[in-house]
Every structure is written in structure tokens, then in C-alpha cells.
Amino acid sequence: MPRAASASIARAMSNSAQAALDDLAETFDLLGDWEERYRYVIELGAELAPLSDDERNAATKVSGCASQVWLVRDPVIDGVLSWRGDSDAHIVRGLIAILLRLYNGRSPEAVLDFDARAAVERLGLSEALSSQRSNGLASMIARIRADADQAIR
């Protein structure tokens, strides 16, 4: 097996946020320009299952986003957290999908230990997104971190 392939398998098996970030960054690097990356982010969002109308409520709505954004934290199972999300904007659905790849299936401690700011920088999102989108992304990350903090208490 080629060395790169075995390293990729090892990262995937580690099931860490860092491994998920490494995979996303590798894909972003392969895509090259931001037009292709935006298309990929939108495709990721298209793969998300929509939330039900009942799940789109004031408690799940993320404030601080220009678009409508909802994040639903599922019940904690075996000490790990998971979320589902939706938005009325295609690119924002893609950003939700990225966050879910980074955070789903992690312990609350792992969520809180993960450096989201560094991840956003590594993927180049801070430079590619408008200030409104960047603020919305920060609000989504803050919600996820607050949910993780609440799960510990």
C-alpha cells in the first residue's frame, strides 16, 4: 500500500477532528481555486438531510447569522455528541456540513479542545468568506461549543 494511502487510512481510523480537518484540507488543496471549492462546499451542504419544520424553531436557531441557520444537538450517546443542521442558503448549508464533519462523533472535551479558529484559517475560509458569512460561521461554532460545555455540566 502506498505510504500516502496508509497515512490517510490511519487518519480516518483515528476518528478525530484533526483527521477530519486534514481530509478537508487535502480536498480543498486538490480543488485549487475558490470557485471549485465553493462548488464543493455547496455539494457538501446538499448532502445534509433537511430538518423537520418542528426542528426549525427559536431554540435551534443560531443567532448572529445573516441567513436562517438551525443546529439541533442530538442526544448524547456513549459520551459523544452529534448535531444536525440546516439553512436557507446553499453555501451556509455547506459550512454546516463542514462543521458537522469536524465535530460530530466527538466527546464534549474533544469539541472544546479543538481549535476552530485554526481550522477556519487552514481551510482558507477566513479569507474566502464575506464578513457576514465569517460572523455566521463563528456563531455556529460558538453554539456547538456551548452545547459541548453544557453536556459536560
Side-chain angles (χ1 to χ4, degrees):
M1 176 177 301
R3 185 176 193 177
S6 64
S8 179
I9 291 169
R11 276 198 317 268
M13 289 176 62
S14 72
N15 195 32
S16 71
Q18 187 61 49
L21 175 59
D22 290 346
D23 289 342
L24 284 166
E26 185 177 313
T27 301
F28 273 43
D29 288 345
L30 290 173
L31 293 172
D33 70 20
W34 269 102
E35 186 175 326
E36 290 180 33
R37 291 175 185 173
Y38 280 132
R39 211 172 3 257
Y40 175 67
V41 170
I42 290 169
E43 287 173 11
L44 290 176
E47 295 172 4
L48 292 178
L51 297 177
S52 70
D53 288 340
D54 289 342
E55 291 173 314
R56 293 172 177 234
N57 58 56
T60 62
K61 189 172 181 183
V62 178
S63 61
C65 297
S67 302
Q68 301 287 317
V69 177
W70 299 270
L71 285 174
V72 175
R73 190 187 91 196
D74 291 324
V76 178
I77 299 174
D78 295 329
V80 298
L81 301 172
S82 64
W83 290 264
R84 293 174 293 115
D86 203 356
S87 176
D88 61 348
H90 295 297
I91 191 73
V92 176
R93 280 179 60 87
L95 295 174
I96 293 167
I98 288 172
L99 293 179
L100 297 184
R101 284 181 180 217
L102 295 173
Y103 289 113
N104 275 355
R106 319 283 179 237
S107 69
E109 295 83 7
V111 168
L112 294 172
D113 287 345
F114 184 67
D115 187 348
R117 181 175 297 190
V120 168
E121 289 291 326
R122 181 164 176 205
L123 295 175
L125 294 172
S126 56
E127 297 168 4
L129 298 175
S130 69
S131 60
Q132 282 187 317
R133 294 276 189 246
S134 291
N135 289 339
L137 182 60
S139 295
M140 289 185 275
I141 292 167
R143 166 66 74 84
I144 289 170
R145 291 180 57 81
D147 285 351
D149 187 55
Q150 183 181 16
I152 292 173
R153 295 172 191 250

Short mmCIF file of all heavy atoms in Angstrom, two decimals, residues 50-75:
data_model
loop_
_atom_site.label_atom_id
_atom_site.label_comp_id
_atom_site.label_asym_id
_atom_site.label_seq_id
_atom_site.Cartn_x
_atom_site.Cartn_y
_atom_site.Cartn_z
N PRO A 50 -32.56 17.51 5.40
CA PRO A 50 -33.22 18.71 5.93
C PRO A 50 -33.83 18.44 7.31
O PRO A 50 -34.19 17.31 7.63
CB PRO A 50 -34.31 19.01 4.90
CG PRO A 50 -34.52 17.74 4.17
CD PRO A 50 -33.25 16.96 4.25
N LEU A 51 -33.90 19.48 8.11
CA LEU A 51 -34.57 19.38 9.40
C LEU A 51 -36.08 19.44 9.18
O LEU A 51 -36.55 20.02 8.20
CB LEU A 51 -34.15 20.52 10.32
CG LEU A 51 -32.68 20.58 10.72
CD1 LEU A 51 -32.42 21.82 11.56
CD2 LEU A 51 -32.25 19.33 11.44
N SER A 52 -36.82 18.87 10.11
CA SER A 52 -38.28 18.95 10.02
C SER A 52 -38.72 20.37 10.40
O SER A 52 -37.96 21.13 11.01
CB SER A 52 -38.92 17.94 10.99
OG SER A 52 -38.71 18.35 12.33
N ASP A 53 -39.93 20.71 10.05
CA ASP A 53 -40.46 22.03 10.40
C ASP A 53 -40.46 22.23 11.91
O ASP A 53 -40.19 23.33 12.40
CB ASP A 53 -41.88 22.21 9.84
CG ASP A 53 -41.89 22.38 8.33
OD1 ASP A 53 -40.84 22.74 7.75
OD2 ASP A 53 -42.96 22.17 7.72
N ASP A 54 -40.74 21.17 12.67
CA ASP A 54 -40.75 21.26 14.13
C ASP A 54 -39.36 21.55 14.69
O ASP A 54 -39.22 22.17 15.74
CB ASP A 54 -41.29 19.97 14.76
CG ASP A 54 -42.78 19.79 14.54
OD1 ASP A 54 -43.46 20.79 14.22
OD2 ASP A 54 -43.26 18.65 14.70
N GLU A 55 -38.32 21.07 13.99
CA GLU A 55 -36.96 21.29 14.46
C GLU A 55 -36.45 22.69 14.13
O GLU A 55 -35.46 23.14 14.70
CB GLU A 55 -36.02 20.24 13.85
CG GLU A 55 -36.26 18.85 14.40
CD GLU A 55 -35.46 17.80 13.68
OE1 GLU A 55 -35.41 17.82 12.43
OE2 GLU A 55 -34.87 16.95 14.38
N ARG A 56 -37.11 23.36 13.24
CA ARG A 56 -36.76 24.74 12.90
C ARG A 56 -37.53 25.66 13.82
O ARG A 56 -38.64 26.11 13.50
CB ARG A 56 -37.13 25.04 11.45
CG ARG A 56 -36.32 24.27 10.44
CD ARG A 56 -36.89 24.50 9.05
NE ARG A 56 -36.11 23.83 8.05
CZ ARG A 56 -35.58 24.44 6.98
NH1 ARG A 56 -35.80 25.71 6.78
NH2 ARG A 56 -34.87 23.75 6.13
N ASN A 57 -36.95 25.93 14.97
CA ASN A 57 -37.65 26.74 15.96
C ASN A 57 -36.67 27.71 16.62
O ASN A 57 -35.46 27.68 16.34
CB ASN A 57 -38.33 25.83 17.00
CG ASN A 57 -37.36 24.92 17.70
OD1 ASN A 57 -36.38 25.38 18.29
ND2 ASN A 57 -37.61 23.61 17.64
N ALA A 58 -37.18 28.53 17.52
CA ALA A 58 -36.36 29.55 18.16
C ALA A 58 -35.22 28.95 18.97
O ALA A 58 -34.13 29.52 19.05
CB ALA A 58 -37.23 30.43 19.04
N ALA A 59 -35.43 27.78 19.57
CA ALA A 59 -34.40 27.15 20.40
C ALA A 59 -33.23 26.63 19.57
O ALA A 59 -32.10 26.58 20.05
CB ALA A 59 -35.01 26.01 21.22
N THR A 60 -33.50 26.23 18.33
CA THR A 60 -32.44 25.66 17.50
C THR A 60 -31.84 26.68 16.53
O THR A 60 -30.82 26.41 15.90
CB THR A 60 -32.95 24.44 16.69
OG1 THR A 60 -33.99 24.87 15.82
CG2 THR A 60 -33.43 23.34 17.63
N LYS A 61 -32.48 27.83 16.41
CA LYS A 61 -31.99 28.86 15.50
C LYS A 61 -30.71 29.47 16.05
O LYS A 61 -30.59 29.73 17.25
CB LYS A 61 -33.04 29.95 15.30
CG LYS A 61 -32.68 30.93 14.22
CD LYS A 61 -33.81 31.87 13.91
CE LYS A 61 -33.39 32.80 12.79
NZ LYS A 61 -34.42 33.78 12.51
N VAL A 62 -29.75 29.66 15.17
CA VAL A 62 -28.46 30.24 15.56
C VAL A 62 -28.53 31.74 15.31
O VAL A 62 -28.71 32.18 14.17
CB VAL A 62 -27.30 29.61 14.77
CG1 VAL A 62 -25.98 30.25 15.15
CG2 VAL A 62 -27.26 28.11 14.98
N SER A 63 -28.39 32.52 16.36
CA SER A 63 -28.39 33.98 16.20
C SER A 63 -27.01 34.41 15.73
O SER A 63 -26.00 33.72 15.95
CB SER A 63 -28.76 34.66 17.51
OG SER A 63 -27.84 34.33 18.51
N GLY A 64 -26.97 35.56 15.07
CA GLY A 64 -25.70 36.08 14.58
C GLY A 64 -25.38 35.68 13.16
O GLY A 64 -24.30 35.98 12.66
N CYS A 65 -26.31 34.99 12.51
CA CYS A 65 -26.12 34.58 11.11
C CYS A 65 -27.02 35.43 10.21
O CYS A 65 -28.17 35.68 10.55
CB CYS A 65 -26.47 33.10 10.94
SG CYS A 65 -25.44 31.99 11.88
N ALA A 66 -26.49 35.86 9.09
CA ALA A 66 -27.29 36.63 8.14
C ALA A 66 -28.38 35.76 7.53
O ALA A 66 -29.49 36.21 7.28
CB ALA A 66 -26.41 37.23 7.05
N SER A 67 -28.06 34.50 7.31
CA SER A 67 -29.03 33.54 6.77
C SER A 67 -29.75 32.87 7.93
O SER A 67 -29.34 32.98 9.09
CB SER A 67 -28.31 32.47 5.96
OG SER A 67 -27.57 33.03 4.92
N GLN A 68 -30.82 32.17 7.61
CA GLN A 68 -31.51 31.37 8.61
C GLN A 68 -30.69 30.11 8.83
O GLN A 68 -30.40 29.38 7.88
CB GLN A 68 -32.91 30.98 8.10
CG GLN A 68 -33.80 32.16 7.77
CD GLN A 68 -34.28 32.86 9.03
OE1 GLN A 68 -34.66 32.24 10.00
NE2 GLN A 68 -34.24 34.18 9.01
N VAL A 69 -30.31 29.85 10.08
CA VAL A 69 -29.49 28.67 10.41
C VAL A 69 -30.06 28.02 11.66
O VAL A 69 -30.38 28.69 12.64
CB VAL A 69 -28.02 29.06 10.69
CG1 VAL A 69 -27.21 27.84 11.11
CG2 VAL A 69 -27.40 29.71 9.46
N TRP A 70 -30.19 26.70 11.58
CA TRP A 70 -30.65 25.92 12.73
C TRP A 70 -29.66 24.79 12.98
O TRP A 70 -29.22 24.12 12.05
CB TRP A 70 -32.02 25.30 12.46
CG TRP A 70 -33.08 26.32 12.21
CD1 TRP A 70 -33.90 26.91 13.13
CD2 TRP A 70 -33.47 26.86 10.94
NE1 TRP A 70 -34.76 27.80 12.51
CE2 TRP A 70 -34.51 27.78 11.17
CE3 TRP A 70 -33.02 26.67 9.63
CZ2 TRP A 70 -35.12 28.49 10.15
CZ3 TRP A 70 -33.61 27.38 8.61
CH2 TRP A 70 -34.65 28.28 8.87
N LEU A 71 -29.31 24.59 14.26
CA LEU A 71 -28.47 23.47 14.67
C LEU A 71 -29.20 22.71 15.77
O LEU A 71 -29.59 23.30 16.78
CB LEU A 71 -27.12 23.95 15.21
CG LEU A 71 -26.11 24.44 14.18
CD1 LEU A 71 -24.89 25.03 14.87
CD2 LEU A 71 -25.70 23.32 13.24
N VAL A 72 -29.37 21.42 15.56
CA VAL A 72 -30.04 20.55 16.52
C VAL A 72 -29.01 19.58 17.08
O VAL A 72 -28.37 18.85 16.31
CB VAL A 72 -31.19 19.76 15.84
CG1 VAL A 72 -31.81 18.78 16.82
CG2 VAL A 72 -32.23 20.71 15.27
N ARG A 73 -28.83 19.62 18.41
CA ARG A 73 -27.94 18.64 19.03
C ARG A 73 -28.75 17.41 19.37
O ARG A 73 -29.78 17.49 20.03
CB ARG A 73 -27.29 19.19 20.30
CG ARG A 73 -26.18 18.25 20.79
CD ARG A 73 -25.63 18.64 22.11
NE ARG A 73 -26.42 17.92 23.12
CZ ARG A 73 -26.45 18.22 24.40
NH1 ARG A 73 -25.79 19.25 24.85
NH2 ARG A 73 -27.17 17.51 25.23
N ASP A 74 -28.29 16.28 18.88
CA ASP A 74 -28.95 15.01 19.18
C ASP A 74 -28.57 14.57 20.58
O ASP A 74 -27.58 15.04 21.14
CB ASP A 74 -28.56 13.97 18.13
CG ASP A 74 -29.15 14.28 16.76
OD1 ASP A 74 -30.28 14.79 16.70
OD2 ASP A 74 -28.46 14.03 15.76
N PRO A 75 -29.31 13.63 21.15
CA PRO A 75 -28.96 13.13 22.48
C PRO A 75 -27.54 12.55 22.51
O PRO A 75 -27.08 11.96 21.53
CB PRO A 75 -30.00 12.03 22.75
CG PRO A 75 -31.15 12.37 21.85
CD PRO A 75 -30.53 13.01 20.63
#
